[in-house]
Amino acid sequence: MTQSFLSRRAYLALMAAAAALPGRAVASGFREITWEDLIPPGVPYGEIVGLGQIDEANDTWNPEYDANGKKVNTRLNGKAVKLPGFMIPFDVTSAGVTTFMLVPYVGACIHTPPPPPNQLVFVTTARPWPGDRMWDPVWVYGRLSAQPLTTQIADVGYRMTAQKIEAYEW
């Protein structure tokens, strides 16, 4: 009787552990992360953005980032992740968007100054995302690379080759 009780207990413990795991995340092999995860541990986000300067000739504000804005979370380097965001397209063909910057909020880099480099991800994809959906929020799945890049829009802290892109559902 004792052995049967232990087997049942072990079985119930295993089932409880399995129920506690996020099934889709485990099944897909991609770890869901947030934009805060891109900031290295111990670096407070509120200290990243400085006062900046106003460019009166172009009627824009040029943000100023302290050294924390360029620091990337190297613990995520090479990890398979899933990150939500918005696209700022770079390369668009008749098939759709093939290269874009993933940003944390709508209008970043276009209607507002760019976020700091550790809040930007440069994404390439072999499967174009439909051009009529490029302004919708998306989930991007891929292997993250903590590798800086300078683009015509902003300095970027991360790169990713998208293995999958899907619409973000609220």
Side-chain angles (χ1 to χ4, degrees), residues 32-155:
E32 184 177 323
I33 62 170
T34 67
W35 289 93
E36 285 185 19
D37 294 322
L38 298 178
I39 301 170
V43 176
Y45 184 72
E47 295 178 15
I48 290 175
V49 181
L51 295 175
Q53 298 175 8
I54 294 179
D55 179 352
E56 292 181 19
N58 295 310
D59 193 29
T60 60
W61 175 66
N62 297 319
E64 180 180 281
Y65 306 112
D66 67 13
N68 291 330
K70 293 183 180 180
K71 292 179 183 175
V72 294
N73 186 350
T74 56
R75 293 179 185 176
L76 294 174
N77 194 39
K79 303 292 183 195
V81 300
K82 170 185 175 182
L83 180 66
F86 295 87
M87 292 182 177
I88 303 299
F90 281 94
D91 295 317
V92 182
T93 67
S94 60
V97 180
T98 57
T99 306
F100 59 92
M101 190 166 354
L102 190 67
V103 298
Y105 50 88
V106 70
C109 301
I110 292 178
H111 303 296
T112 63
N118 64 12
Q119 293 294 283
L120 298 172
V121 180
F122 187 82
V123 181
T124 57
T125 180
R127 176 181 278 163
W129 181 253
D132 62 337
R133 299 185 65 200
M134 73 177 138
W135 305 114
D136 297 339
V138 294
W139 283 106
V140 179
Y141 298 73
R143 199 160 295 280
L144 197 63
S145 172
Q147 191 175 34
L149 172 72
T150 297
T151 72
Q152 66 267 33
I153 294 177
D155 290 335

